[in-house]
Amino acid sequence: MASPSNSTTPCGFLLQGFFEFPHLRPLLFLVLLAVHLTTLSGNLLILVAVVSVPSRPPMLLFLCQLSAIELCYTLVVVPRSLADLSIPGHGRGSPISFLGCAVQMQMFVALGGAECFLLAAMAYDRYVAICHPLRYASIVTPGLCARLALACCLGGLAVSVGLTVAVFHLPFCGSCLLVHFFCDITALLHLACTRSYVDELPLLGACLVLLLLPSMLILTSYGAIASALRRLHGGGGRWKAASTCASHLAVTFLHYGCATFMYVRPKSSYSPRLDRTLALVYTNVTPLLYPLIYSLRNREITSAIHRVLGLRGSGPV
């Protein structure tokens, strides 16, 4: 590792992407393009379907925001990656400015953080619906949903700005080559010439706010839900109530699992090429799965999509 005395503030970086695999890049481009278009279509269809519903239950509003976040989340990373894959040649990488890299990282963290908070808000919605069904309409009002949605966005924005400022104030040594296809936090920290864990504290703090606090709220909500389900006497009612939480739990495990594995670890354990491969999965495959797991398995969303497409039937429960 270079000495901090030789550190510089680069005017830009090179995103290596997958330039070292010239024969694989055309196939990767086609696969990622197909996945990206499918993800965009699924989330746009959900947004249009929710807008077309005259009376929107709170859960539909949360699902609408989740789809909007996923839509923006993929647009921050994937179009640039596709453009780089389409560039012929065998160069070391694709240039990106210092400011452009900072903006991409900030937006990526902000959207991921907003989703962390939103999943906690959705867990609270399930808690009220199952544990206090008679008071649900008076507690989870459209006004509360709007305030929670705004709080999720502002929370993600605040943490992302602080983390981006901290990371881009670090000294960078030697090569400006990022072994990644976008400006991810781990790739930038790997490039920074730091020797102390103190420089990793901003990332640890962001993980505590974005991952630990919402996950504690989610666990608390589901602990109360599990206790309420045990008190139900009818097996059918217990199964119906539990099934409304299954999709949310699946999305939560995917999102928090990927984020925890990628970012809650010391810099010494970073492996740029492995991290790049894992990032390819969680920036492309998981956003594709979310509409299938959650929104498209929701009765109200499915009915709304059928109305938009002019189909009959209400779809799966």
Side-chain angles (χ1 to χ4, degrees):
M1 180 179 291
S3 171
S5 60
N6 298 325
S7 65
T8 60
T9 300
C11 59
F13 299 95
L14 281 177
L15 292 173
Q16 187 180 51
F18 297 91
F19 275 79
E20 73 268 41
F21 304 110
H23 301 295
L24 181 64
R25 287 170 61 201
L27 176 61
L28 189 59
F29 173 83
L30 293 176
V31 172
L32 291 186
L33 179 61
V35 171
H36 183 55
L37 292 177
T38 305
T39 301
L40 292 181
S41 300
N43 285 295
L44 282 173
L45 184 58
I46 290 165
L47 290 175
V48 172
V50 171
V51 171
S52 70
V53 176
S55 177
R56 303 179 190 98
M59 182 51 72
L60 282 193
L61 298 176
F62 288 131
L63 291 177
C64 183
Q65 186 183 4
L66 181 65
S67 291
I69 289 175
E70 288 302 321
L71 195 64
C72 297
Y73 186 81
T74 56
L75 289 175
V76 166
V77 174
V78 180
R80 165 83 196 216
S81 304
L82 290 172
D84 291 343
L85 285 171
S86 67
I87 298 174
H90 303 275
R92 292 181 66 208
S94 172
I96 184 170
S97 68
F98 188 81
L99 178 60
C101 190
V103 170
Q104 186 184 51
M105 183 194 129
Q106 185 272 323
M107 294 180 67
F108 181 79
V109 176
L111 291 164
E115 186 167 335
C116 288
F117 292 132
L118 180 62
L119 290 172
M122 295 171 81
Y124 173 73
D125 173 83
R126 292 297 84 204
Y127 158 73
V128 178
I130 293 174
C131 298
H132 305 283
L134 298 180
R135 299 172 55 200
Y136 178 77
S138 62
I139 296 177
V140 187
T141 62
L144 177 64
C145 293
R147 290 191 295 272
L148 287 174
L150 180 61
C152 291
C153 294
L154 292 179
L157 178 63
V159 174
S160 68
V161 170
L163 182 59
T164 302
V165 170
V167 169
F168 279 85
H169 268 81
L170 295 174
F172 294 94
C173 305
S175 171
C176 291
L177 181 67
L178 292 175
V179 185
H180 218 299
F181 56 91
F182 74 100
C183 291
D184 198 11
I185 308 166
T186 55
L188 288 162
L189 287 178
H190 185 79
L191 201 62
C193 47
T194 57
R195 295 179 176 177
S196 170
Y197 284 109
V198 174
D199 296 305
E200 300 177 41
L201 289 179
L203 177 58
L204 177 61
C207 290
L208 288 176
V209 175
L210 298 180
L211 297 176
L212 182 60
L213 292 181
S215 64
M216 289 177 63
L217 292 173
I218 292 172
L219 289 174
T220 301
S221 296
Y222 276 104
I225 289 172
S227 177
L229 291 180
R230 283 198 300 268
R231 292 195 298 267
L232 288 178
H233 299 294
R238 185 183 295 114
W239 169 254
K240 184 177 180 180
S243 65
T244 65
C245 304
S247 297
H248 176 262
L249 282 172
V251 171
T252 299
F253 281 130
L254 269 177
H255 185 74
Y256 280 86
C258 290
T260 301
F261 182 80
M262 285 299 300
Y263 302 115
V264 187
R265 55 196 174 107
K267 178 180 174 178
S268 58
S269 67
Y270 292 172
S271 175
R273 286 175 172 78
L274 176 61
D275 292 346
R276 179 182 59 184
T277 303
L278 294 174
L280 193 65
V281 175
Y282 75 74
T283 58
N284 290 274
V285 178
T286 52
L288 173 66
L289 295 177
Y290 287 174
L292 299 176
I293 292 174
Y294 207 133
S295 301
L296 296 182
R297 297 298 301 176
N298 180 277
R299 175 183 292 177
E300 286 134 335
I301 284 286
T302 307
S303 299
I305 290 174
H306 284 185
R307 282 195 298 271
V308 170
L309 298 178
L311 301 176
R312 296 182 177 181
S314 59
V317 176

